Amino acid sequence: MTESNGPLPRKRGEGMPDWEKRFRAPRVSLPDWAEDAPHRSLFVSNATGTYELYAWDRATGEQRQVTDRPNGTTDGVLSPDGEWIWWFDDTDGDEFGVWRRQRFTPGASGAGAGAAADEPAAPGLEPSYPAGLTIGRDARTAVVGRSTDQDGSTIHLVRAGQGPVEIYRHRESAGVGDLSHDGSLIAIEHTEHGDAMHSALRVLRQDGSTVAELDDTKDGTVESGLEVLGFAPVDGDTRLLIGHQRRGRWEPLVWDVASGEETDLALELPGDVAAEWYPDGSALLVVHSFEARSELFRYDLATRELVRVPTPPGTVSGATARPDGTVEYLWSSAAEPPVVRSTSGEVVLDPPGTRAPASVPVEDVWVQGPGGRVHALVQRPAGASRPLPTVFDIHGGPTWHDSDAFAPGPAAWVDHGYAVVRVNYRGSTGYGREWTDALKHRVGLIELEDIAAVREWAVSSGLADPERLVLTGGSWGGYLTLLGLGTQPDAWTVGIAAVPVADYVTAYHDEMEALKAMDRTLLGGTPEEVPERFEASSPLTYVDAVKAPVYISAGVNDPRCPIRQIENYVDRLAARGAVHEVYRYDAGHGSLVVDERIKQVRLELDFAERHLGR
């Protein structure tokens, strides 16, 4: 075994290749804005080299860094009055911590000039994993969701000057959805029925009593998942916008929680549809995702007219309707880096620094697999002769999907002469509920059947060199990498797994509570209840069959794919002298530090180059 440390980092800008520039280029998230102070916004940026929260006063143009922690901060919420910024304080990426808050304007209410003093946002609540947060319009009331191994899921009402009040508790997963505009109603998502992939909904009063329930379970079977999209932004309005899967894909409907009336919107769009309210409550901003791209619409609730909001082809990663009727959205494509745009024609937020270099566009490939047509996205270096060394870059989740969006990681492989293939295997979102739910019980093995079908196409079409195939991915993609190396040992030349599940049984016992619930849903029980399923789906079961050199990177504080189960797998590789390298870093489930991300990509590229004999 080799412990990877990697080459020394380059000085910024010194002979920097394009792939590194893409990671270092300034990035921003879609700015959130305060409902009652829309000139105040909160966003995430990597401007300092670490992803942190930033406050932005649009009236003055002033921007300031809100958080400054060694391993970064991305979880933050701006209060509706624009006065407070809440942020989640964990330890080095372990995702276990407490909410803190600070004034939007430093020095307000007695703080020293220029100071931004943090204070406990919910005194009396012990550290936990977060399970949602919503803040009342006066910022004196908040609803905080928590998850711990001991308590399961709890939800608390937090009022200024008072101790937190528990209003919900259950062993299964649950979380905060939204707070009504007047603060009287609280919508939550829960999985008391035991299916962690498909939530039911409950609306509570502030005292914890129930106002309304919506659960698409029939005869013990969950027929549709439900999700909270938001209460109408009008005082006294009891309409709740929700998402449902009653027709096999995500669609919105309006549920009046007081009367029980459900208004089915039936937008007749072929893909998954999400929505949010326009600020006056008269219309919905609709995001339609279909076959790895997305587009925007405005839906008028009175006339039922659906009008397209013009956006370029590619992926809209987030969108919001502003009080003046304009729409701001974060857009990118595989070839073009992300930018926050407005339908007014302006670039909303343009961080200083050099824009990321472009990459190459994706090509769509559809391959017949054992469970239906599999969609793959392919990028290849311009002008390269075939067959090419090819990287199968497998997405995480598993309830996620690759899209036509900018990604520095795949672009780095392309820059080094590799074709990159990304597979939206069964289990991925974006292709209907049946496709997403197909992986239950034969977890991992089903996804790999689809990946194998696309591999066969890549080789038989002449794109990929069968002697130079890299299987790689992070999180669930890292899990599928290790499982694929063991169950398909002759198919892959090199394996590179980042923050993977490696020993499924140990991972279950060590992971955060919400993921335990997900694994019980996927596999049909605990390791003690269905040991044969955990064994069949665990990379550790097949570790002695692995032939390819293996590279693994792991965060020592990772609560999702904990380090102990990775060490068990590595020990088995080492015991038989298998070629492998391990890189451990002081963070959680990935890193928010740009230099660390670049180091990890450099180590992966180097490992592949050495073992492919290029």
Side-chain angles (χ1 to χ4, degrees):
M1 180 185 75
T2 301
E3 295 287 344
S4 296
N5 293 312
L8 293 173
R10 252 184 223 97
K11 294 180 180 179
R12 182 179 285 270
E14 183 182 301
M16 190 183 298
D18 280 354
W19 74 264
E20 186 172 332
K21 291 177 183 176
R22 294 189 190 98
F23 282 95
R24 294 198 185 280
R27 304 266 310 252
V28 294
S29 66
L30 179 71
D32 188 17
W33 53 274
E35 182 179 357
D36 295 325
H39 62 287
R40 291 187 168 183
S41 290
L42 182 69
F43 65 92
V44 175
S45 176
N46 65 346
T48 64
T50 300
Y51 285 83
E52 297 285 4
L53 294 168
Y54 288 78
W56 175 27
D57 189 324
R58 299 182 186 222
T60 65
E62 180 184 1
Q63 297 177 10
R64 72 171 181 88
Q65 186 175 338
V66 173
T67 53
D68 185 7
R69 302 193 304 152
N71 280 306
T73 315
T74 58
D75 290 341
V77 177
L78 181 60
S79 64
D81 64 359
E83 292 295 324
W84 291 97
I85 298 167
W86 288 48
W87 60 275
F88 192 74
D89 184 14
D90 66 350
T91 302
D92 294 331
D94 67 359
E95 301 182 44
F96 193 83
V98 298
W99 287 99
R100 302 193 185 279
R101 70 175 191 169
Q102 64 175 259
R103 289 279 183 179
F104 186 91
T105 303
S109 297
D118 290 309
E119 62 183 48
L125 289 182
E126 295 296 317
S128 68
Y129 297 110
L133 167 70
T134 184
I135 304 172
R137 291 177 65 200
D138 62 359
R140 296 183 59 80
T141 302
V143 184
V144 180
R146 303 171 65 252
S147 173
T148 66
D149 292 343
Q150 295 76 25
D151 299 331
S153 300
T154 60
I155 295 176
H156 303 259
L157 186 68
V158 176
R159 294 188 179 97
Q162 302 179 35
V165 177
E166 183 180 295
I167 59 173
Y168 178 87
R169 174 184 290 260
H170 201 276
R171 283 304 311 170
E172 297 291 346
S173 296
V176 177
D178 196 22
L179 186 65
S180 64
H181 201 251
D182 62 8
S184 64
L185 301 175
I186 301 158
I188 69 169
E189 300 175 354
H190 70 83
T191 58
E192 293 174 10
H193 46 47
D195 185 341
M197 292 181 69
H198 304 99
S199 294
L201 305 183
R202 182 173 298 154
V203 178
L204 307 174
R205 300 179 183 89
Q206 287 196 5
D207 63 4
S209 60
T210 298
V211 175
E213 298 259 13
L214 199 60
D215 187 343
D216 282 358
T217 300
K218 183 177 180 181
D219 298 328
T221 300
V222 181
E223 296 189 338
S224 168
L226 302 169
E227 63 178 350
V228 173
L229 300 177
F231 275 106
V234 179
D235 273 345
D237 196 328
T238 55
R239 292 177 299 166
L240 179 63
L241 184 64
I242 69 170
H244 69 92
Q245 297 174 299
R246 293 171 179 173
R247 286 185 287 265
R249 63 187 188 278
W250 283 109
E251 299 177 86
L253 68 77
V254 177
W255 175 35
D256 189 321
V257 302
S259 68
E261 180 184 4
E262 298 178 17
T263 303
D264 187 355
L265 304 182
L267 300 182
E268 297 183 358
L269 296 169
D272 284 343
V273 178
E276 69 166 44
W277 298 93
Y278 270 76
D280 64 0
S282 67
L284 302 178
L285 176 61
V286 171
V287 182
H288 174 230
S289 300
F290 183 60
E291 296 184 351
R293 277 94 180 168
S294 50
E295 56 188 347
L296 298 178
F297 296 86
R298 184 184 186 276
Y299 179 76
D300 188 293
L301 289 164
T303 65
R304 292 184 170 260
E305 183 180 17
L306 185 69
V307 178
R308 186 186 298 274
V309 176
T311 58
T315 296
V316 176
S317 301
T320 183
R322 295 278 293 169
D324 64 359
T326 60
V327 173
E328 296 177 354
Y329 58 96
L330 179 61
W331 174 91
S332 72
S333 70
E336 294 297 325
V339 59
V340 180
R341 293 178 170 175
S342 169
T343 52
S344 68
E346 300 177 347
V347 172
V348 176
L349 193 56
D350 191 12
T354 304
R355 186 169 165 82
S359 185
V360 298
V362 294
E363 306 166 31
D364 296 271
V365 173
W366 293 87
V367 176
Q368 189 62 41
R373 292 202 314 154
V374 183
H375 189 195
L377 301 175
V378 179
Q379 290 173 278
R380 64 186 86 196
S385 57
R386 298 164 45 155
L388 293 164
T390 300
V391 173
F392 276 70
D393 189 356
I394 309 303
H395 72 73
T399 51
W400 190 252
H401 66 273
D402 279 315
S403 61
D404 182 8
F406 196 73
W413 288 108
V414 173
D415 283 3
H416 285 78
Y418 295 84
V420 176
V421 179
R422 290 180 284 169
V423 181
N424 285 330
Y425 49 76
R426 279 172 290 170
S428 303
T429 55
Y431 300 86
R433 181 187 168 186
E434 184 178 352
W435 190 261
T436 302
D437 289 357
L439 60 76
K440 286 184 179 179
H441 299 175
R442 292 186 61 243
V443 173
L445 304 174
I446 285 177
E447 301 96 297
L448 286 169
E449 290 175 353
D450 292 344
I451 293 167
V454 178
R455 179 199 178 278
E456 174 62 26
W457 163 83
V459 171
S460 63
S461 70
L463 170 70
D465 182 345
E467 303 300 320
R468 295 184 294 170
L469 291 177
V470 178
L471 184 62
T472 185
S475 190
W476 196 265
Y479 158 64
L480 293 176
T481 294
L482 296 184
L483 189 63
L485 295 179
T487 60
Q488 304 167 351
D490 296 318
W492 308 105
T493 318
V494 171
I496 299 174
V499 291
V501 172
D503 169 1
Y504 217 141
V505 173
T506 303
Y508 176 86
H509 289 301
D510 290 359
E511 69 193 2
M512 58 202 301
E513 186 61 31
L515 293 185
K516 286 186 173 73
M518 178 63 77
D519 283 336
R520 290 194 297 271
T521 295
L522 290 174
L523 289 155
T526 68
E528 292 71 33
E529 293 167 339
V530 287
E532 71 287 351
R533 291 179 183 168
F534 275 83
E535 181 180 13
S537 294
S538 179
L540 189 66
T541 301
Y542 312 97
V543 64
D544 290 339
V546 172
K547 298 178 180 180
V550 184
Y551 173 90
I552 299 173
S553 61
V556 297
N557 306 313
D558 191 344
R560 298 172 181 267
C561 299
I563 191 70
R564 184 168 72 104
Q565 51 95 27
I566 292 174
E567 301 291 8
N568 291 347
Y569 185 91
V570 170
D571 287 348
R572 287 281 297 276
L573 287 175
R576 65 182 186 88
V579 177
H580 68 288
E581 295 182 13
V582 183
Y583 173 65
R584 303 169 182 85
Y585 56 96
D586 186 19
H589 198 61
S591 177
L592 299 175
V593 179
V594 172
D595 279 342
E596 177 61 39
R597 289 186 176 187
I598 290 170
K599 179 179 180 180
Q600 291 179 26
V601 172
R602 187 177 290 127
L603 289 169
E604 293 172 3
L605 290 166
D606 177 67
F607 186 84
E609 291 287 322
R610 285 188 281 117
H611 292 286
L612 288 180
R614 298 182 66 209

